[in-house]
Amino acid sequence: MKIHDVVIIGGGIIGTSIAREMSRYRIKIALMEKEEELAFGVSKSNSGIIHPGTQNDPSSLKGKLCVRGNAMVREISKELGIDLKEVGELIIAFSEEEKTRLLALKKDADILGVPGTSIVDNVWLKKNEPNLNEAAVAALYAPTAGIISPYRYVYDLAENAACNGVEINVDTEVLDIVRNSKKRDKYRFEIVTSKGTFRANYIINAAGLFADEIASMVGIEDIKISPRKGEEFILDKKKEHLTEHLLFPLPSKKSKGILVTRTSDGNPMIGPTAVDIDDKYDISTSDEGFEEVIRSAQRLMPSINEGDIISYFAGLRPACGDDFIIRYEDDLPGFINVAGIQSPGLTAAPAVAEMVLNILKTKGFRPMRKLFFHKHRKRTIHLFDVTFKETKRLIEKDSEYGDIVCRCEMVSAKEIRDAIKRGASTMDGIKFRTRAQAGRCHGSFCTCRLLEILKEETKKSATDITKRGPGSEIVKGVKGE
Amino acid sequence: MNERDLVIVGGGPAGMAAAISAYENGIRDILVLERDQFLGGILNQCIHTGFGLEYFDEVLTGPEYADRFEKKIRGISGIEIRLRSFVVDLTENKVITYLMPGKIETVKARALIMATGCREKTREMVHIAGTRPAGIFSAGLAQKLINIEGLLPGKEIVIVGSGDIGLIMARRFILEGAKVKAVIEVQNESRGLLRNMIQCIEDFEVPIYFRHKVSKIIGRDRVEKVEIAELDGGPGGKIISKKVIECDTVLMSVGLIPENELIEMAGVRLDKNTNSPISDETNKTSIPGLFVCGNAFKVYDIVDTVSKDSVEAGRMAAKHLGIKDEG
Ligand SMILES: Cc1cc2nc3c(=O)[nH]c(=O)nc-3n(C[C@H](O)[C@H](O)[C@H](O)COP(=O)(O)OP(=O)(O)OC[C@H]3O[C@@H](n4cnc5c(N)ncnc54)[C@H](O)[C@@H]3O)c2cc1C
Ligand SMILES: Cc1cc2nc3c(=O)[nH]c(=O)nc-3n(C[C@H](O)[C@H](O)[C@H](O)COP(=O)(O)OP(=O)(O)OC[C@H]3O[C@@H](n4cnc5c(N)ncnc54)[C@H](O)[C@@H]3O)c2cc1C
């Protein structure tokens, strides 16, 4: 009978960060993800910002973990070959009253230890952010704000964790958790999943929007996740140089407001809204959200044009009160909840992982470090971020780099095949890993080729290929049948 | 660096007509770059008839029309054709970089004709709210899936917009046994050709809703339904009523955009609304010796006019190179 030391529930940024952190030790770890691929939950649809830690209550857990996570991700991104761009952020004040609030924000940031913040005036702004609304009077500048591709971050963490022995199970939904009452068996929990039963001594609940349902399986009823929807709108890459920095208005109680940012792939992005909803599956966008985002973004940057929008999506923040809940359940030894990881969860993730491990260590968990931990991962190759000289070298090495599949984002057949070998099994999985279908034509050009390659690599038939898992098959049948 | 008298990017009807005409006007060193493994461009997937009435005075299918040009171009030894050659970069000095399986090449063109065609507008460009499930296709992609790949994208279809590709696809889906539940057009009348309205919509009694827009797409994993809204007086009008139609597929046929990212890279000024080069004469751009023809210059209704105008592009290139008109 196989017993895992640790079972992690949830394959988002939190679960995979914990998995990778724990894979430094000589323990058996399994991660369970109900979706067809990792990062198909909240971690795929967010702003992708590595926040510096401003806009947080200095006494909050999320504020502290954000600042710590921001420092840690620099090292991690180097080790794993993830593109992290440090671009800096500006929180913009449009009046003297708002400027006073900037000073208060700066004070909070100083208490939290956010490095290098300063107040800049409108002369500075005109010079350094020429497209900004001229009515801006001042801004709080935080140089440590960065941008990252959230899903590639998850995939790279998971790949490295797997290389260090973590068992990653996708398409594996946790259905129930049973406490082991048989004294002679040396495990605490039975985890019933759609792929059979697992046994473990420690369970880490990192199930995002569904963390309350997992907690409830073991009788913990004080966690209630309330989804808060955020709609985001992506602009054409042609507008890449719209802004130098990430632009924020002053925050409200509910959110950081509607931002003008950029994805790590170079598309400007505006949003998100913040609306409390009930349905954890409702990721639709709305006309109202669109209006609100455009209007608010144009206040920061009047030249933003709705005609430049090439894509949009919504994500749900898994909120549970105002702060993160990271808690060892003393009444249920071995169970730890990591819930309510709303923004800035993407940033805080490595610090969350560190904290989880430290909590476990105070609770008698004493794993031994591995002699060899593979901390490095070979950087994934993307033609869109190498020079033509490098492209030439790659094509000479493997001719398939010269076979372009996605015209808008310049993705070759070789990159697609690599993505599939690294775990992509759906059209969305390919998109997140390679950017094929993520450009202005939305896959009109490359869908047929992608189906073809997926068929070849996975030995599936065309009718079984899905956008993001069962029920989302791309085509409904074969002609003439 | 390798230098050529004339380089043509795109081997669709526009590129082929321009190449033949350039040769006939005296250019002897011509290179055609086509990213696909075939010549013919979008015509390869248009297996319906309705091509060539003006140019050949005959009714042909898309592939038959393309074949006439292909036969001719293949017979001219001064025209070198390179397939699976994907142009990825273009400079103001007409230096072209292209990728092929196993190779990356650069070539400098003394004269350049861009015949890169167009792409379809997407759901995102017309801002339809709702979810983003499987089952949303551009009409051209659906056409390719059925006609080239032999796959059926869906069984209950709602078509957004009444462009020609959408109309033709309505008939195509019906002939494949699928049900076309509605065509939704925001204007007062169809944008497509009259003959397509009659042969593809009226003859098959497909319901068409004018002055309506799709206001929402509904469905978690796959499209389940769309919400449509009737607009008072058409585009921009107030919403008078709403209604839900069940379907598993949404086809977008809301217009085409010239594919001009390469010439934009080179510094050619484009019209912000149409993505066509800003120009006072067909085929010309703001860069001397750089011509654009076919759907890349502007969106044409029928291919016959594409061929005719592209012949002009070939002549202009010869003139640019200082070649005397021989006949
Ligand atoms: C609009 C928006 C913008 C944001 N912007 C930022 C930002 O710029 N910067 C930042 O730092 N943070 C941002 N955030 C927050 C950040 O995205 C989240 O904090 C983070 O992604 C949460 O990660 P997670 O791993 O906890 O959740 P998830 O990614 O949702 O992972 C949980 C996983 O658990 C799986 N799961 C659930 N139930 C089960 C089960 N029963 N069995 C197996 N698996 C299960 C789910 O499928 C899911 O994949 C934003 C959030 C939103 C919504
Ligand atoms: C569904 C449909 C139905 C139609 N029905 C009719 C009809 O009934 N009658 C009629 O007369 N007309 C019809 N048309 C219109 C006609 O097909 C087009 O006007 C014509 O094909 C346009 O020719 P083109 O050469 O400009 O573009 P395309 O045919 O699109 O050719 C462009 C070529 O350029 C290549 N290319 C693009 N970018 C690059 C690059 N970077 N590097 C290398 N190569 C590149 C492409 O691969 C393609 O081969 C229809 C069109 C469609 C889509």
Side-chain angles (χ1 to χ4, degrees), chain B residues 260-282:
Chain B
N260 280 325
E261 278 60 39
L262 287 167
I263 61 172
E264 191 176 27
M265 212 185 264
V268 172
R269 287 200 305 134
L270 302 181
D271 183 296
K272 254 179 69 182
N273 295 318
T274 60
N275 219 39
S276 281
I278 296 175
S279 168
D280 45 21
E281 200 180 333
T282 303

PDB file of all heavy atoms in Angstrom, chain B residues 260-282:
ATOM      1  N   ASN B 260      -1.862  43.227 -42.957  1.00  0.00           N
ATOM      2  CA  ASN B 260      -0.785  44.129 -43.345  1.00  0.00           C
ATOM      3  C   ASN B 260       0.229  44.399 -42.248  1.00  0.00           C
ATOM      4  O   ASN B 260       0.898  45.426 -42.265  1.00  0.00           O
ATOM      5  CB  ASN B 260      -1.390  45.454 -43.841  1.00  0.00           C
ATOM      6  CG  ASN B 260      -1.862  45.317 -45.281  1.00  0.00           C
ATOM      7  OD1 ASN B 260      -1.227  44.606 -46.065  1.00  0.00           O
ATOM      8  ND2 ASN B 260      -2.957  45.958 -45.615  1.00  0.00           N
ATOM      9  N   GLU B 261       0.364  43.466 -41.323  1.00  0.00           N
ATOM     10  CA  GLU B 261       1.292  43.705 -40.221  1.00  0.00           C
ATOM     11  C   GLU B 261       2.738  43.843 -40.710  1.00  0.00           C
ATOM     12  O   GLU B 261       3.529  44.580 -40.149  1.00  0.00           O
ATOM     13  CB  GLU B 261       1.188  42.583 -39.181  1.00  0.00           C
ATOM     14  CG  GLU B 261       0.042  42.755 -38.194  1.00  0.00           C
ATOM     15  CD  GLU B 261      -1.337  42.813 -38.829  1.00  0.00           C
ATOM     16  OE1 GLU B 261      -1.575  42.060 -39.796  1.00  0.00           O
ATOM     17  OE2 GLU B 261      -2.173  43.626 -38.389  1.00  0.00           O
ATOM     18  N   LEU B 262       3.072  43.126 -41.804  1.00  0.00           N
ATOM     19  CA  LEU B 262       4.455  43.188 -42.296  1.00  0.00           C
ATOM     20  C   LEU B 262       4.787  44.562 -42.865  1.00  0.00           C
ATOM     21  O   LEU B 262       5.842  45.125 -42.572  1.00  0.00           O
ATOM     22  CB  LEU B 262       4.692  42.110 -43.360  1.00  0.00           C
ATOM     23  CG  LEU B 262       4.789  40.681 -42.831  1.00  0.00           C
ATOM     24  CD1 LEU B 262       4.702  39.683 -43.974  1.00  0.00           C
ATOM     25  CD2 LEU B 262       6.081  40.477 -42.051  1.00  0.00           C
ATOM     26  N   ILE B 263       3.885  45.114 -43.676  1.00  0.00           N
ATOM     27  CA  ILE B 263       4.215  46.430 -44.250  1.00  0.00           C
ATOM     28  C   ILE B 263       4.132  47.511 -43.183  1.00  0.00           C
ATOM     29  O   ILE B 263       4.834  48.509 -43.249  1.00  0.00           O
ATOM     30  CB  ILE B 263       3.352  46.789 -45.488  1.00  0.00           C
ATOM     31  CG1 ILE B 263       1.865  46.848 -45.145  1.00  0.00           C
ATOM     32  CG2 ILE B 263       3.605  45.822 -46.628  1.00  0.00           C
ATOM     33  CD1 ILE B 263       1.029  47.397 -46.301  1.00  0.00           C
ATOM     34  N   GLU B 264       3.325  47.271 -42.186  1.00  0.00           N
ATOM     35  CA  GLU B 264       3.278  48.227 -41.075  1.00  0.00           C
ATOM     36  C   GLU B 264       4.634  48.238 -40.370  1.00  0.00           C
ATOM     37  O   GLU B 264       5.158  49.274 -39.992  1.00  0.00           O
ATOM     38  CB  GLU B 264       2.159  47.828 -40.106  1.00  0.00           C
ATOM     39  CG  GLU B 264       1.867  48.908 -39.076  1.00  0.00           C
ATOM     40  CD  GLU B 264       0.700  48.558 -38.178  1.00  0.00           C
ATOM     41  OE1 GLU B 264       0.431  47.351 -37.982  1.00  0.00           O
ATOM     42  OE2 GLU B 264       0.066  49.490 -37.661  1.00  0.00           O
ATOM     43  N   MET B 265       5.205  47.039 -40.218  1.00  0.00           N
ATOM     44  CA  MET B 265       6.531  46.894 -39.627  1.00  0.00           C
ATOM     45  C   MET B 265       7.555  47.696 -40.420  1.00  0.00           C
ATOM     46  O   MET B 265       8.474  48.295 -39.880  1.00  0.00           O
ATOM     47  CB  MET B 265       6.890  45.401 -39.706  1.00  0.00           C
ATOM     48  CG  MET B 265       7.732  44.838 -38.626  1.00  0.00           C
ATOM     49  SD  MET B 265       8.092  43.108 -39.073  1.00  0.00           S
ATOM     50  CE  MET B 265       6.875  42.193 -38.193  1.00  0.00           C
ATOM     51  N   ALA B 266       7.376  47.700 -41.746  1.00  0.00           N
ATOM     52  CA  ALA B 266       8.329  48.385 -42.613  1.00  0.00           C
ATOM     53  C   ALA B 266       8.087  49.896 -42.632  1.00  0.00           C
ATOM     54  O   ALA B 266       8.877  50.641 -43.210  1.00  0.00           O
ATOM     55  CB  ALA B 266       8.228  47.826 -44.032  1.00  0.00           C
ATOM     56  N   GLY B 267       6.998  50.335 -42.049  1.00  0.00           N
ATOM     57  CA  GLY B 267       6.757  51.774 -41.974  1.00  0.00           C
ATOM     58  C   GLY B 267       5.688  52.289 -42.923  1.00  0.00           C
ATOM     59  O   GLY B 267       5.500  53.510 -43.035  1.00  0.00           O
ATOM     60  N   VAL B 268       4.975  51.423 -43.615  1.00  0.00           N
ATOM     61  CA  VAL B 268       3.879  51.886 -44.474  1.00  0.00           C
ATOM     62  C   VAL B 268       2.725  52.328 -43.577  1.00  0.00           C
ATOM     63  O   VAL B 268       2.376  51.635 -42.616  1.00  0.00           O
ATOM     64  CB  VAL B 268       3.399  50.754 -45.417  1.00  0.00           C
ATOM     65  CG1 VAL B 268       2.138  51.166 -46.166  1.00  0.00           C
ATOM     66  CG2 VAL B 268       4.499  50.364 -46.378  1.00  0.00           C
ATOM     67  N   ARG B 269       2.165  53.485 -43.897  1.00  0.00           N
ATOM     68  CA  ARG B 269       1.061  53.966 -43.064  1.00  0.00           C
ATOM     69  C   ARG B 269      -0.246  53.278 -43.455  1.00  0.00           C
ATOM     70  O   ARG B 269      -0.578  53.162 -44.627  1.00  0.00           O
ATOM     71  CB  ARG B 269       0.937  55.482 -43.170  1.00  0.00           C
ATOM     72  CG  ARG B 269       2.104  56.158 -42.412  1.00  0.00           C
ATOM     73  CD  ARG B 269       1.800  57.576 -42.060  1.00  0.00           C
ATOM     74  NE  ARG B 269       1.441  58.314 -43.266  1.00  0.00           N
ATOM     75  CZ  ARG B 269       0.406  59.133 -43.352  1.00  0.00           C
ATOM     76  NH1 ARG B 269      -0.401  59.302 -42.324  1.00  0.00           N
ATOM     77  NH2 ARG B 269       0.177  59.794 -44.471  1.00  0.00           N
ATOM     78  N   LEU B 270      -0.972  52.814 -42.420  1.00  0.00           N
ATOM     79  CA  LEU B 270      -2.223  52.105 -42.668  1.00  0.00           C
ATOM     80  C   LEU B 270      -3.400  52.921 -42.140  1.00  0.00           C
ATOM     81  O   LEU B 270      -3.265  53.648 -41.158  1.00  0.00           O
ATOM     82  CB  LEU B 270      -2.226  50.751 -41.938  1.00  0.00           C
ATOM     83  CG  LEU B 270      -1.106  49.764 -42.283  1.00  0.00           C
ATOM     84  CD1 LEU B 270      -1.278  48.482 -41.482  1.00  0.00           C
ATOM     85  CD2 LEU B 270      -1.088  49.456 -43.776  1.00  0.00           C
ATOM     86  N   ASP B 271      -4.525  52.764 -42.794  1.00  0.00           N
ATOM     87  CA  ASP B 271      -5.754  53.382 -42.319  1.00  0.00           C
ATOM     88  C   ASP B 271      -6.193  52.673 -41.030  1.00  0.00           C
ATOM     89  O   ASP B 271      -6.288  51.452 -40.990  1.00  0.00           O
ATOM     90  CB  ASP B 271      -6.834  53.232 -43.392  1.00  0.00           C
ATOM     91  CG  ASP B 271      -8.131  53.907 -42.996  1.00  0.00           C
ATOM     92  OD1 ASP B 271      -8.763  53.498 -42.000  1.00  0.00           O
ATOM     93  OD2 ASP B 271      -8.500  54.849 -43.699  1.00  0.00           O
ATOM     94  N   LYS B 272      -6.448  53.457 -39.991  1.00  0.00           N
ATOM     95  CA  LYS B 272      -6.745  52.871 -38.681  1.00  0.00           C
ATOM     96  C   LYS B 272      -8.018  52.022 -38.690  1.00  0.00           C
ATOM     97  O   LYS B 272      -8.135  51.053 -37.952  1.00  0.00           O
ATOM     98  CB  LYS B 272      -6.891  53.975 -37.626  1.00  0.00           C
ATOM     99  CG  LYS B 272      -5.707  54.050 -36.704  1.00  0.00           C
ATOM    100  CD  LYS B 272      -5.857  55.159 -35.699  1.00  0.00           C
ATOM    101  CE  LYS B 272      -6.955  54.872 -34.681  1.00  0.00           C
ATOM    102  NZ  LYS B 272      -7.129  55.985 -33.740  1.00  0.00           N
ATOM    103  N   ASN B 273      -8.976  52.400 -39.530  1.00  0.00           N
ATOM    104  CA  ASN B 273     -10.239  51.674 -39.516  1.00  0.00           C
ATOM    105  C   ASN B 273     -10.236  50.458 -40.419  1.00  0.00           C
ATOM    106  O   ASN B 273     -10.791  49.417 -40.080  1.00  0.00           O
ATOM    107  CB  ASN B 273     -11.380  52.594 -39.921  1.00  0.00           C
ATOM    108  CG  ASN B 273     -11.562  53.693 -38.889  1.00  0.00           C
ATOM    109  OD1 ASN B 273     -11.497  53.444 -37.692  1.00  0.00           O
ATOM    110  ND2 ASN B 273     -11.731  54.917 -39.364  1.00  0.00           N
ATOM    111  N   THR B 274      -9.602  50.571 -41.581  1.00  0.00           N
ATOM    112  CA  THR B 274      -9.703  49.469 -42.539  1.00  0.00           C
ATOM    113  C   THR B 274      -8.460  48.584 -42.583  1.00  0.00           C
ATOM    114  O   THR B 274      -8.494  47.491 -43.133  1.00  0.00           O
ATOM    115  CB  THR B 274      -9.906  50.013 -43.970  1.00  0.00           C
ATOM    116  OG1 THR B 274      -8.760  50.823 -44.284  1.00  0.00           O
ATOM    117  CG2 THR B 274     -11.162  50.864 -44.065  1.00  0.00           C
ATOM    118  N   ASN B 275      -7.345  49.061 -42.014  1.00  0.00           N
ATOM    119  CA  ASN B 275      -6.056  48.361 -42.090  1.00  0.00           C
ATOM    120  C   ASN B 275      -5.503  48.274 -43.516  1.00  0.00           C
ATOM    121  O   ASN B 275      -4.580  47.515 -43.796  1.00  0.00           O
ATOM    122  CB  ASN B 275      -6.136  46.960 -41.470  1.00  0.00           C
ATOM    123  CG  ASN B 275      -4.877  46.608 -40.681  1.00  0.00           C
ATOM    124  OD1 ASN B 275      -4.318  47.463 -39.990  1.00  0.00           O
ATOM    125  ND2 ASN B 275      -4.420  45.376 -40.790  1.00  0.00           N
ATOM    126  N   SER B 276      -6.060  49.072 -44.429  1.00  0.00           N
ATOM    127  CA  SER B 276      -5.514  49.158 -45.781  1.00  0.00           C
ATOM    128  C   SER B 276      -4.403  50.204 -45.790  1.00  0.00           C
ATOM    129  O   SER B 276      -4.420  51.118 -44.980  1.00  0.00           O
ATOM    130  CB  SER B 276      -6.593  49.634 -46.755  1.00  0.00           C
ATOM    131  OG  SER B 276      -7.444  48.578 -47.106  1.00  0.00           O
ATOM    132  N   PRO B 277      -3.445  50.085 -46.741  1.00  0.00           N
ATOM    133  CA  PRO B 277      -2.446  51.141 -46.836  1.00  0.00           C
ATOM    134  C   PRO B 277      -3.123  52.467 -47.223  1.00  0.00           C
ATOM    135  O   PRO B 277      -4.048  52.465 -48.035  1.00  0.00           O
ATOM    136  CB  PRO B 277      -1.505  50.682 -47.961  1.00  0.00           C
ATOM    137  CG  PRO B 277      -1.940  49.332 -48.359  1.00  0.00           C
ATOM    138  CD  PRO B 277      -3.241  49.012 -47.709  1.00  0.00           C
ATOM    139  N   ILE B 278      -2.658  53.559 -46.645  1.00  0.00           N
ATOM    140  CA  ILE B 278      -3.200  54.856 -47.034  1.00  0.00           C
ATOM    141  C   ILE B 278      -2.570  55.211 -48.377  1.00  0.00           C
ATOM    142  O   ILE B 278      -1.344  55.262 -48.497  1.00  0.00           O
ATOM    143  CB  ILE B 278      -2.866  55.928 -45.973  1.00  0.00           C
ATOM    144  CG1 ILE B 278      -3.562  55.577 -44.656  1.00  0.00           C
ATOM    145  CG2 ILE B 278      -3.271  57.323 -46.460  1.00  0.00           C
ATOM    146  CD1 ILE B 278      -3.235  56.487 -43.499  1.00  0.00           C
ATOM    147  N   SER B 279      -3.404  55.413 -49.384  1.00  0.00           N
ATOM    148  CA  SER B 279      -2.861  55.543 -50.733  1.00  0.00           C
ATOM    149  C   SER B 279      -3.893  56.198 -51.637  1.00  0.00           C
ATOM    150  O   SER B 279      -5.093  56.007 -51.449  1.00  0.00           O
ATOM    151  CB  SER B 279      -2.542  54.140 -51.261  1.00  0.00           C
ATOM    152  OG  SER B 279      -2.277  54.173 -52.632  1.00  0.00           O
ATOM    153  N   ASP B 280      -3.411  56.970 -52.634  1.00  0.00           N
ATOM    154  CA  ASP B 280      -4.396  57.565 -53.540  1.00  0.00           C
ATOM    155  C   ASP B 280      -4.513  56.771 -54.831  1.00  0.00           C
ATOM    156  O   ASP B 280      -5.258  57.110 -55.726  1.00  0.00           O
ATOM    157  CB  ASP B 280      -4.079  59.048 -53.811  1.00  0.00           C
ATOM    158  CG  ASP B 280      -2.613  59.254 -54.098  1.00  0.00           C
ATOM    159  OD1 ASP B 280      -1.946  58.262 -54.471  1.00  0.00           O
ATOM    160  OD2 ASP B 280      -2.123  60.389 -53.942  1.00  0.00           O
ATOM    161  N   GLU B 281      -3.761  55.697 -54.940  1.00  0.00           N
ATOM    162  CA  GLU B 281      -3.842  54.903 -56.157  1.00  0.00           C
ATOM    163  C   GLU B 281      -3.809  53.422 -55.787  1.00  0.00           C
ATOM    164  O   GLU B 281      -3.004  52.999 -54.947  1.00  0.00           O
ATOM    165  CB  GLU B 281      -2.642  55.234 -57.060  1.00  0.00           C
ATOM    166  CG  GLU B 281      -2.845  54.851 -58.498  1.00  0.00           C
ATOM    167  CD  GLU B 281      -1.614  55.205 -59.339  1.00  0.00           C
ATOM    168  OE1 GLU B 281      -0.877  56.151 -58.979  1.00  0.00           O
ATOM    169  OE2 GLU B 281      -1.390  54.513 -60.331  1.00  0.00           O
ATOM    170  N   THR B 282      -4.671  52.625 -56.419  1.00  0.00           N
ATOM    171  CA  THR B 282      -4.719  51.190 -56.120  1.00  0.00           C
ATOM    172  C   THR B 282      -3.323  50.567 -56.229  1.00  0.00           C
ATOM    173  O   THR B 282      -2.576  50.874 -57.162  1.00  0.00           O
ATOM    174  CB  THR B 282      -5.685  50.488 -57.106  1.00  0.00           C
ATOM    175  OG1 THR B 282      -6.953  51.122 -56.974  1.00  0.00           O
ATOM    176  CG2 THR B 282      -5.830  49.008 -56.801  1.00  0.00           C
TER     177      THR B 282
END
